[in-house]
Amino acid sequence: VFWEARAHNNLAINAQMQGDFLFADSLYQLALIDFKNLNDSVWISNLYNNLGLLASDRGRFEKAIIYFIKDLEINQSLNDSLGISNALNKIGNEYIQLAEHIKAKEYFLESLKFSKNNTSNEDYPFLMMNLSHCEYHLGNMESGDKLLKSADSVLQISQDPLGLSELYSSKAYRHFLNMDFLEAIDYLEKSLFYKRLMKDKRGIARVQLSIAKSYVELNAYPEALALIDSTLLTSYFIGAVDLELDAIMVQVEIRAKLGQNLKRAILYKRYIKITDSLHQVQRVEAVVNAENDYELQKKINEIELLEGNDKLQAIKIRRNRSLALALIFLIIVVTIYSIVIQNRRKVIV
């Protein structure tokens, strides 16, 4: 069961990288059930982390937070400081996606407390970048710059492609806030290079959309629309509804600025339709998740009942053995006592 569960997890990771999110989710859930049956806390924690990352990739940020909180609770029970730090960091990152920067900052600062050795923690530069993003958004530019510099110093040594791609995106965000849009585009292009290197489809779409937003600020609408079309295509195929909706709203903004009100109305209608469909999907998912949780709990109860019956049977066997041994011991004592009494009588005679 253990190796089958690990195989499901590895297949899910591969499916997630290919953008097949639904298949990945099914495989992760299968692995999670197996590891719960095995009562393997470390792997259960890993699965909740993976499910959280998958939910985030699909734009289900609230759902991702739920999974990361479960991961956090297990790491707290294991007293794993690094695991606690990483889980808190991921929760904070989801709150950034929900534009709740004050709440996100609270989680990042809490994460920092549990990070024992900054250089050994792979998530440390990401934590610094996340904190810098919050500081920039809250208007604390100087503090944000210091945090970003700290992340930069670590990543220039490690040369981690994912870290560098996020670093350049963070630098682009800083320039975007300063309305240095050409400089922002330059950094985003560098980020895009690493996203393509990693074949990160969602990452590519996200960075392309950011470049498009910068072009909109420069009134370069044809360039922006070309990038948005690419973003929409990728978002549709990988099921990243949040990016798709964001891209449509940028299109709505462009069409409004160009005075193309009919196209604007059509796009907005499409936005409403996708939003309604998303709510329906979420309602269905909630029912399915509730049914899955019920079935899982039912299986766990059955296993616990069987284990209880096994323990009861073992107790009965041990008790019967004890009674048998006591009886044999009693017989031996009685026999020895009888022999002693007989010998005494012979002596008396």
Side-chain angles (χ1 to χ4, degrees):
V1 176
F2 176 83
W3 293 108
E4 185 179 347
R6 283 200 63 174
H8 284 147
N9 178 68
N10 292 337
L11 286 170
I13 291 171
N14 186 60
Q16 184 176 349
M17 290 176 64
Q18 297 300 319
D20 194 348
F21 294 154
L22 290 175
F23 185 48
D25 186 73
S26 300
L27 289 168
Y28 281 138
Q29 295 292 351
L30 285 172
L32 181 61
I33 290 170
D34 287 337
F35 283 121
K36 280 187 174 181
N37 289 338
L38 292 169
N39 199 27
D40 191 326
S41 297
V42 174
W43 267 102
I44 293 170
S45 169
N46 290 338
L47 262 299
Y48 279 134
N49 173 72
N50 291 348
L51 282 164
L53 293 172
L54 177 64
S56 184
D57 279 351
R58 298 177 68 189
R60 313 290 173 82
F61 305 122
E62 294 92 346
K63 192 172 183 180
I65 289 171
I66 293 170
Y67 283 129
F68 289 137
I69 287 175
K70 289 181 178 180
D71 177 28
L72 173 63
E73 289 170 348
I74 294 172
N75 281 296
Q76 287 172 333
S77 69
L78 296 172
N79 199 25
D80 182 349
S81 296
L82 191 58
I84 292 170
S85 174
N86 291 342
L88 288 167
N89 184 23
K90 289 183 174 70
I91 294 169
N93 194 47
E94 298 311 307
Y95 278 115
I96 280 184
Q97 300 302 322
L98 294 169
E100 296 186 38
H101 293 84
I102 295 175
K103 200 165 187 177
K105 183 180 176 181
E106 290 173 1
Y107 276 98
F108 294 143
L109 291 174
E110 192 67 19
S111 173
L112 200 57
K113 294 178 185 177
F114 286 93
S115 188
K116 289 182 179 178
N117 189 337
N118 295 342
T119 55
S120 68
N121 184 357
E122 292 179 358
D123 274 10
Y124 173 73
F126 295 95
L127 176 57
M128 293 296 99
M129 286 185 283
N130 289 338
L131 268 171
S132 72
H133 185 99
C134 290
E135 295 291 17
Y136 287 148
H137 190 84
L138 297 170
N140 305 324
M141 298 302 179
E142 188 176 342
S143 176
D145 288 342
K146 288 179 180 178
L147 290 162
L148 200 57
K149 187 176 180 180
S150 178
D152 196 346
S153 63
V154 175
L155 290 168
Q156 293 305 327
I157 295 171
S158 69
Q159 289 294 302
D160 172 37
L162 176 59
L164 288 171
S165 69
E166 294 304 317
L167 175 67
Y168 290 129
S169 288
S170 297
K171 289 184 176 182
Y173 181 66
R174 173 71 164 93
H175 286 287
F176 188 91
L177 291 175
N178 281 348
M179 294 188 288
D180 299 330
F181 302 118
L182 287 174
E183 197 72 24
I185 290 170
D186 184 51
Y187 277 115
L188 287 168
E189 290 288 354
K190 291 177 181 178
S191 176
L192 189 60
F193 168 80
Y194 286 104
K195 295 295 183 187
R196 285 172 174 158
L197 187 67
M198 295 182 294
K199 298 180 180 179
D200 178 2
K201 292 180 180 179
R202 177 182 170 83
I204 292 168
R206 180 169 60 85
V207 175
Q208 284 181 330
L209 183 57
S210 296
I211 296 172
K213 289 178 179 179
S214 294
Y215 276 127
V216 169
E217 296 297 331
L218 293 169
N219 298 325
Y221 301 132
E223 291 85 349
L225 288 169
L227 286 164
I228 290 170
D229 286 341
S230 178
T231 300
L232 285 169
L233 188 64
T234 304
S235 301
Y236 176 79
F237 279 112
I238 66 173
V241 182
D242 62 311
L243 287 178
E244 187 177 1
L245 290 172
D246 197 2
I248 290 171
M249 287 310 294
V250 177
Q251 276 190 326
V252 169
E253 180 186 350
I254 293 171
R255 297 304 176 185
K257 287 183 176 181
L258 292 174
Q260 299 172 347
N261 295 322
L262 180 59
K263 287 185 177 181
R264 177 192 177 191
I266 292 170
L267 286 166
Y268 192 70
K269 187 176 179 181
R270 180 183 172 188
Y271 178 90
I272 297 298
K273 186 177 179 180
I274 293 172
T275 304
D276 289 342
S277 299
L278 180 60
H279 289 156
Q280 289 176 3
V281 169
Q282 288 174 340
R283 284 195 291 270
V284 171
E285 279 188 347
V287 174
V288 171
N289 288 336
E291 289 177 350
N292 288 340
D293 289 343
Y294 172 76
E295 290 298 325
L296 177 59
Q297 190 59 48
K298 190 177 176 182
K299 286 183 179 180
I300 291 171
N301 291 339
E302 288 173 357
I303 290 167
E304 288 176 349
L305 181 61
L306 288 171
E307 288 176 348
N309 290 337
D310 289 342
K311 287 178 181 177
L312 184 61
Q313 189 66 26
I315 290 168
K316 287 180 179 178
I317 291 169
R318 284 197 297 271
R319 186 182 64 185
N320 292 336
R321 282 179 181 173
S322 299
L323 288 171
L325 288 170
L327 184 60
I328 291 168
F329 179 74
L330 182 61
I331 292 169
I332 292 170
V333 170
V334 170
T335 303
I336 293 171
Y337 182 74
S338 300
I339 293 169
V340 170
I341 293 297
Q342 286 178 4
N343 291 336
R344 283 183 178 179
R345 283 178 180 174
K346 286 179 182 178
V347 171
I348 293 170
V349 173

